[in-house]
Amino acid sequence: MNKNKNLQIHKKLNHFSWLPSLHEKAILLGERLSKKYKSSHMLDNTRMLRDGDIFLLSPGENFSTEELLLLAEKKFPSALVADNSEKKFLTHWFEKKYKHYSEPLMDVYYLESLKELSGFLTSAFYDYPSKKIKVCAITGTNGKTTVVNAAALAFAGFEEACASMGTLGLIVYRKDIDSIQKQKIFDFELTTPSAALLQWFLQKLSKDGVKRLFLEASSIGIVQGRMLGCEIRNAALTNITDDHIEYHGSKENLESAKTLLFTIPNLESAVFLNSDRQKKRIYEKISKKLSPHVNTVLVSVQSNKKNSDINLKINSASEDSTVVDYESDARNIMGVKVPAIGKHNIENAAIVAGLMFASGKSSEEIVFGLKEFETPPGRMDFLKSKNCPLVCIDYAHTPDALMHILKTLRPQSRARKGKLFCVFGCGGGRDKMKRSQMGRVVAEFCDGGFVTSDNPRFENVEKISEETIEGIETKHRDRWKIINDRSKAIHYSILNANKNDVILIAGKGNEKYQLIKSKKIPFSDYLEVQSAFEKRKIN
């Protein structure tokens, strides 16, 4: 990260505002367009655009202004909203393109700072949907996906319909007699969707009877203003570790980006982990910026109850669940079985409990939610087959997440009287500094394994693997092999392991592709493991 980029991000953070100076102008335009185009949608995504909609022209790294116009015109939008800076170009483009038409084929409106204000514009256009749905935003390096989905599931048991939005897409959880039904609505390319797309989905969810939305708020999404114009009632922080440092420029900028979420106007409650020194330090930093009207809820795991509103004391753990004691001022409930393992997952469960506590749920209701806690696909999924090693697939792709998973799996390998191996890689175009850190973590917490590819994008996979293995001390290098073909690495690890061993396949989780250059190549860790199991049986 160069110093100029660091300074740019730092300046952006210092000048960030949840209510930019021209937001009222955007609101007025949104209300005006809502009355004029009553049957239209307002979108910044050409793929979702339909005949008669309003298109927000927001060129960026992937598409130029002209490319977006050519894509949009094929969908026959009724109107176009563009930034003031595009006026000269658009005037010339339309005159040249449609000089033979007596009337323009679409209405054009201009707004200063459109990209920054699109959330306010679309919120007003859709009649302020975040006022009709209680939006809860979860930020943190790891655990966001688990928390938003587990929280939506827990709250749906009491409030008919709730939704989660983030890495796994948009999922609606709806109560149906004695069970919760899940419905996948949409897949996103980004953890936090654009401001315009967020408002479009909020109005859709509101019409479908959804009462709460749990939203993953990435640090990049916060800084880029993707939640501007959205009213957020509740927020929670899972943790902050060194991820996306190359984008933010420094750990300080990363922490400041996360902190911004808790300065949003009209925030009602905030939930924080109070389990260790680092989490306490971050909470103390954020608490200085919290409005005095915000209800702060502290939760912990294996801590002293007097310092937290809720503490989950771990008693025992099996291969698929953890027994905890629920401790709060209202009531202590012993022997609660949470269907998840690993302290990091119990911390995620504690945050869900904190969100329920903040909303006024009773201890009995919170414990019911803990018993229904569920990790999403690709998070500590165990695959078993006769006479084969135990395989765990997990999305862990940061040093901290990898450390927690390996710490959780070590007791399992010991209980099986086997070794613990890991198959992992590092993504291309992302946080190069964490590659050697990942190497150091695996070298410390497991017995060996394989460095392989994990979404190399436009980088050379051989170079990524070499930079990753540099973190492994020379004296331990003989335990590690570089096999850049991920399929071959998975197969080799399973075919050559002892049946008592445990193998972690980390980094991709439930992803069904490899990102190589600009292409998504179909790939599934799950399918590769099943294939390796079958080969092992034959051999």
Side-chain angles (χ1 to χ4, degrees):
M1 167 61 67
N2 59 54
K3 291 183 179 180
N4 288 336
K5 181 68 180 292
N6 193 353
L7 289 171
Q8 288 173 13
I9 295 292
H10 193 70
K11 185 177 180 181
K12 193 170 187 177
L13 288 166
N14 288 336
H15 290 85
F16 183 93
S17 172
W18 288 104
L19 296 172
S21 58
L22 297 173
H23 76 280
E24 291 180 347
K25 192 171 183 179
I27 289 171
L28 289 173
L29 178 59
E31 291 177 345
R32 176 181 155 204
L33 296 180
S34 179
K35 293 174 183 176
K36 184 173 181 180
Y37 303 92
K38 293 183 179 179
S39 60
S40 299
H41 291 149
M42 181 179 282
L43 296 160
D44 61 355
N45 188 313
T46 56
R47 285 175 297 175
M48 297 173 66
L49 206 63
R50 63 177 190 177
D51 191 348
D53 282 345
I54 302 170
F55 180 57
L56 303 187
L57 182 66
S58 298
E61 293 181 2
N62 297 324
F63 296 98
S64 67
T65 298
E66 186 167 12
E67 287 171 330
L68 286 175
L69 287 169
L70 291 171
L71 288 169
E73 69 174 356
K74 295 176 183 177
K75 303 294 183 72
F76 305 104
S78 294
L80 178 77
V81 181
D83 191 272
N84 279 351
S85 62
E86 302 281 1
K87 187 175 290 187
K88 185 176 179 180
F89 176 87
L90 287 176
T91 300
H92 176 73
W93 194 83
F94 279 116
E95 286 176 352
K96 181 180 177 182
K97 185 87 174 178
Y98 302 118
K99 60 183 176 181
H100 299 299
Y101 292 88
S102 58
E103 294 182 4
L105 297 184
M106 67 181 82
D107 299 328
V108 182
Y109 301 88
Y110 293 97
L111 181 68
E112 189 175 339
S113 303
L114 173 62
K115 192 176 284 288
E116 180 182 35
L117 300 175
S118 61
F120 297 96
L121 176 69
T122 47
S123 175
F125 180 82
Y126 290 122
D127 193 25
Y128 310 100
S130 61
K131 292 183 180 293
K132 302 166 188 175
I133 293 179
K134 293 181 179 178
V135 179
C136 174
I138 312 297
T139 194
T141 306
N142 303 310
K144 296 189 297 297
T145 303
T146 297
V147 170
V148 297
N149 286 278
L153 176 64
F155 276 83
F158 305 99
E159 299 179 359
E160 292 186 18
C162 296
S164 63
M165 182 182 288
T167 303
L168 298 183
L170 176 60
I171 303 173
V172 173
Y173 295 78
R174 198 178 298 274
K175 190 173 183 180
D176 181 22
I177 307 176
D178 58 350
S179 65
I180 305 296
Q181 301 298 317
K182 302 178 191 176
Q183 183 183 8
K184 181 77 164 281
I185 304 295
F186 195 82
D187 275 315
F188 299 110
E189 293 182 358
L190 301 170
T191 300
T192 309
S194 71
L197 199 55
L198 174 58
Q199 295 298 330
W200 186 83
F201 278 113
L202 280 169
Q203 61 87 26
K204 179 176 172 58
L205 292 171
S206 177
K207 289 179 181 178
D208 289 344
V210 171
K211 306 300 181 185
R212 289 182 189 265
L213 171 67
F214 295 89
L215 170 70
E216 288 188 51
S218 68
S219 56
I220 295 175
I222 293 170
V223 172
Q224 291 183 351
R226 297 182 208 156
M227 287 174 291
L228 289 177
C230 181
E231 187 168 305
I232 294 173
R233 312 278 187 88
N234 317 103
L237 175 70
T238 56
N239 52 51
I240 297 180
T241 61
D242 297 349
D243 200 22
H244 299 306
I245 294 294
E246 287 199 354
Y247 175 87
H248 292 288
S250 68
K251 181 74 175 286
E252 181 186 4
N253 285 350
L254 172 62
E255 291 185 0
S256 296
K258 300 286 189 187
T259 300
L260 284 175
L261 177 63
F262 300 91
T263 65
I264 194 167
N266 303 317
L267 187 68
E268 295 174 0
S269 69
V271 178
F272 301 96
L273 273 167
N274 190 33
S275 293
D276 58 39
R277 186 177 299 173
Q278 182 194 31
K279 293 182 177 70
K280 289 176 183 176
R281 179 186 66 78
I282 294 167
Y283 160 66
E284 288 168 0
K285 180 178 180 179
I286 294 174
S287 65
K288 294 175 183 177
K289 298 187 177 182
L290 278 174
S291 164
H293 303 294
V294 175
N295 175 31
T296 301
V297 176
L298 295 177
V299 299
S300 58
V301 173
Q302 297 294 75
S303 187
N304 191 325
K305 168 62 197 70
K306 68 180 181 180
N307 298 321
S308 303
D309 295 288
I310 291 173
N311 179 58
L312 301 183
K313 181 181 177 182
I314 297 175
N315 282 333
S316 62
S318 64
E319 196 172 278
D320 58 4
S321 63
T322 304
V323 177
V324 304
D325 292 340
Y326 169 88
E327 301 175 340
S328 73
D329 288 338
R331 190 176 172 194
N332 290 351
I333 301 176
M334 315 295 283
V336 179
K337 189 175 181 180
V338 182
I341 62 171
K343 186 181 178 184
H344 63 291
N345 271 326
I346 303 305
E347 288 184 337
N348 291 334
I351 292 174
V352 174
L355 292 169
M356 297 183 77
F357 179 89
S359 72
K361 297 290 187 286
S362 67
S363 294
E364 289 74 17
E365 289 172 325
I366 294 171
V367 166
F368 177 83
L370 288 172
K371 289 178 178 179
E372 297 298 310
F373 183 84
E374 185 177 280
T375 55
R379 272 68 175 176
M380 292 209 75
D381 274 355
F382 288 97
L383 283 73
K384 305 174 185 177
S385 189
K386 189 176 181 180
N387 294 321
C388 291
L390 176 64
V391 175
C392 176
I393 290 179
D394 194 88
Y395 186 63
H397 59 280
T398 67
D400 184 68
L402 203 52
M403 177 190 68
H404 283 300
I405 298 297
L406 291 171
K407 277 186 174 181
T408 301
L409 293 177
R410 175 56 80 185
Q412 302 226 18
S413 67
R414 286 175 181 156
R416 295 168 63 91
K417 297 182 179 179
K419 292 184 177 181
L420 176 59
F421 296 103
C422 183
V423 178
F424 79 107
C426 294
R430 301 285 190 276
D431 301 322
K432 294 181 181 180
M433 63 182 70
K434 80 178 182 184
R435 293 172 186 172
S436 60
Q437 294 173 13
M438 299 272 279
R440 282 195 291 274
V441 167
V442 295
E444 180 179 355
F445 292 100
C446 59
D447 298 303
F450 306 88
V451 178
T452 189
S453 61
D454 182 350
N455 296 334
R457 298 179 178 85
F458 289 92
E459 278 198 73
N460 181 286
V461 66
E462 287 83 5
K463 183 181 178 184
I464 295 173
S465 295
E466 289 294 341
E467 290 176 353
T468 303
I469 210 166
E470 281 178 8
I472 299 173
E473 292 183 42
T474 305
K475 62 182 179 180
H476 298 310
R477 292 272 177 92
D478 60 335
R479 303 177 190 173
W480 295 88
K481 289 184 175 67
I482 293 177
I483 302 180
N484 287 315
D485 184 314
R486 192 174 179 93
S487 174
K488 289 180 179 179
I490 292 172
H491 280 247
Y492 190 94
S493 68
I494 292 172
L495 293 175
N496 289 277
N498 185 285
K499 67 178 183 179
N500 297 324
D501 293 338
V502 177
I503 301 172
L504 170 65
I505 300 176
K508 296 190 67 61
N510 201 44
E511 287 182 353
K512 294 178 175 60
Y513 56 83
Q514 276 267 52
L515 285 172
I516 300 175
K517 294 186 177 178
S518 58
K519 295 182 178 179
K520 281 188 175 182
I521 310 298
F523 188 91
S524 167
D525 283 353
Y526 289 86
L527 293 178
E528 296 297 334
V529 170
Q530 294 298 342
S531 174
F533 280 164
E534 292 301 317
K535 282 185 181 179
R536 185 172 170 119
K537 289 177 184 176
I538 294 171
N539 296 336

